[in-house]
Amino acid sequence: MNYGIVAKIIGNLLLFEAVALLPSIGISIYDDGYDSVAFFETIFLTFTVGYFMSKIPIQKRKVRIKEAITIVTLGWIVVSIFGALPFYFSGVLPNFSDAIFETVSGLTTTGSTVINDVEILPLGILFWRSLLHWLGGMGILVLALAIMPTIGVGAHQIFKAETTGPISDKVAPKLKDTAKILYIAYLGITVLQTVLLMFGGMDLFQALIHTFGTVGTGGFSTKNTSVGAFHSSYITLVIGIFMMLSGINFSLYYELYKKRFRHILQNIELRAYLSIILVSTILIAINIYSLYGSVFESFKHAFFQVSSIITTTGYSSVNYDLWPSFSKAILFFLMFVGGSAGSTGGAIKVIRIVILFMFVRREIKKLLHPRALIPIQLNQKMLSGDVVAGVTGFFFLYMLLFAAGTILLSLEGIDFSTAASASASSIGNVGPGFELVGPYKTYSFFSAPSKYLMSLLMLFGRLELFTIFILFTPSHWTKD
């Protein structure tokens, strides 16, 4: 293990975080300055620690897969700890377990909150809370790769360790160029949605907050009742559409820019993703029609919540916890499906669901034709046995963690629906669940150990499980 390069890159990451905190100070001073001291203290500590770590001398600049995994995992943990300081220093969240939970929820784009009344928060804290979504959505290290040349060593290994999905494809020959292309698309969608929301009557601050939550698929809002508080069909539909767009593999936007329409239309994951949204929306709209008495209202709320849950954003236009059991069952299923690989969405990912279905179909065919060689093909490419094994292993581990999380959270004495949805929401980076953690509820009633447990589950989900589990193997830490 090359500990020097690990410390140096994490130090550079802290310097980047210190810079990212600056806009929040400006907003705080513009507001009333209540939380500005907390941001100054945080920036000073973050910059100081980051500066000394970045100056650590190193003998080897090579980053192998073990260093990359350590950098990504420890980088997310360290950034979360320092990112929690404004909440803690300002007194908004005086318990550090709450501050860590809120920060990890923001960075992993989960959107669960322990704050019972977000409408009284200082503007600087509100902005930082939502900016965490935007930073964590595409990946803080991918962003660093795009704008910080000093972190470029071992870029490919770091990119593979942080990006989501079973297959990490570059859209450009150089990883730095790939990161830039992805963030150009990310920034473009961010600007477009912000402008459209301002056309709908939001001011710039509100538009930015809800755009960060949408494009980052995080779901933090400035309102206790989320998007439903605006009582605007226009805003609901704009956010609903952009949540759906943010759940698409961002590399497909580069294909769109290159006018490779055939590649986009033939993409199996995209077709499956849109089909799931369409079918789920129709089924729920029919099921909830009696509650709204309007085809438009039924489809609007059904589409919004389907788009919100499958992309693991977590916004709500209504209290869907009051919907019939059939609709809630569909939403619960969507909490496990998630968005596309290479998107900002969490959970298992559509691509893995597709591969699992292909694997099951192949096994059924092999029962009928035992000697037949039946490959699994995806987008006209044959998948290796390692990829298929990785997907099945991921699915098993994901469900195992979900079950363990549900059992451990049940020790709080809560009902099964709350425990199961809180566990699924945490590992899937969804945000709200059902019953006591429904769309208009918070996670504040949980004990500190449970909050740390859910924070860990959020990190497991965001870093795709194996990245963290590898750190628990003794051979990973052996010296060269």
Side-chain angles (χ1 to χ4, degrees), residues 23-239:
S24 299
I25 286 185
I27 292 172
S28 173
I29 294 173
Y30 172 80
D31 187 18
D32 59 7
Y34 167 76
D35 48 349
S36 57
V37 174
F39 283 112
F40 276 117
E41 292 172 341
T42 301
I43 289 175
F44 175 77
L45 284 173
T46 305
F47 181 84
T48 302
V49 174
Y51 177 79
F52 284 109
M53 289 181 68
S54 67
K55 295 301 179 182
I56 292 176
I58 55 174
Q59 295 178 341
K60 298 179 182 178
R61 293 184 63 84
K62 184 179 180 181
V63 176
R64 299 163 303 172
I65 187 63
K66 63 161 55 178
E67 283 88 14
I69 288 172
T70 306
I71 289 166
V72 168
T73 306
L74 293 185
W76 274 76
I77 293 172
V78 170
V79 167
S80 295
I81 291 172
F82 281 87
L85 296 181
F87 297 106
Y88 185 68
F89 287 160
S90 65
V92 168
L93 293 172
N95 297 320
F96 198 66
S97 59
D98 287 344
I100 284 289
F101 181 94
E102 198 77 12
T103 306
V104 172
S105 178
L107 268 177
T108 59
T109 72
T110 303
S112 304
T113 184
V114 293
I115 300 173
N116 292 315
D117 189 358
V118 298
E119 295 180 21
I120 64 172
L121 292 181
L123 296 186
I125 290 292
L126 271 177
F127 185 82
W128 174 241
R129 180 172 174 262
S130 291
L131 183 61
L132 289 170
H133 282 336
W134 198 86
L135 295 173
M138 189 64 72
I140 49 177
L141 278 154
V142 172
L143 178 57
L145 287 172
I147 64 176
M148 290 173 61
T150 56
I151 207 172
V153 289
H156 182 62
Q157 301 292 358
I158 293 173
F159 182 84
K160 285 194 344 184
E162 191 180 35
T163 50
T164 60
I167 306 169
S168 297
D169 291 327
K170 294 189 291 182
V171 297
K174 294 183 179 180
L175 249 299
K176 184 179 177 182
D177 293 334
T178 295
K180 284 182 177 179
I181 289 168
L182 292 176
Y183 261 97
I184 287 171
Y186 196 50
L187 182 61
I189 294 174
T190 299
V191 172
L192 179 59
Q193 187 188 343
T194 301
V195 172
L196 290 175
L197 288 179
M198 290 178 71
F199 278 132
M202 284 188 177
D203 59 35
L204 177 60
F205 183 80
Q206 295 274 12
L208 279 174
I209 295 296
H210 288 87
T211 297
F212 290 158
T214 301
V215 181
T217 62
F220 279 155
S221 176
T222 56
K223 303 293 183 181
N224 295 325
T225 53
S226 192
V227 176
F230 293 97
H231 304 290
S232 168
S233 294
Y234 173 84
I235 289 175
T236 300
L237 290 174
V238 167
I239 292 178

Side-chain angles (χ1 to χ4, degrees), residues 340-387:
S340 304
S343 73
T344 57
I348 294 172
K349 303 290 188 303
V350 174
I351 189 69
R352 290 193 179 95
I353 302 296
V354 170
I355 292 173
L356 285 170
F357 270 105
M358 290 180 171
F359 174 73
V360 171
R361 185 177 63 181
R362 185 186 71 173
E363 294 306 299
I364 293 173
K365 288 183 178 179
K366 287 176 70 175
L367 288 174
L368 299 174
H369 309 283
R371 297 184 180 181
L373 295 175
I374 307 171
I376 295 178
Q377 290 185 320
L378 186 71
N379 297 325
Q380 300 179 339
K381 292 181 181 179
M382 189 179 299
L383 295 181
S384 68
D386 289 341
V387 171

Side-chain angles (χ1 to χ4, degrees), residues 300-311:
K300 179 185 72 175
H301 294 304
F303 167 70
F304 186 92
Q305 290 310 150
V306 166
S307 184
S308 176
I309 298 299
I310 194 173
T311 61

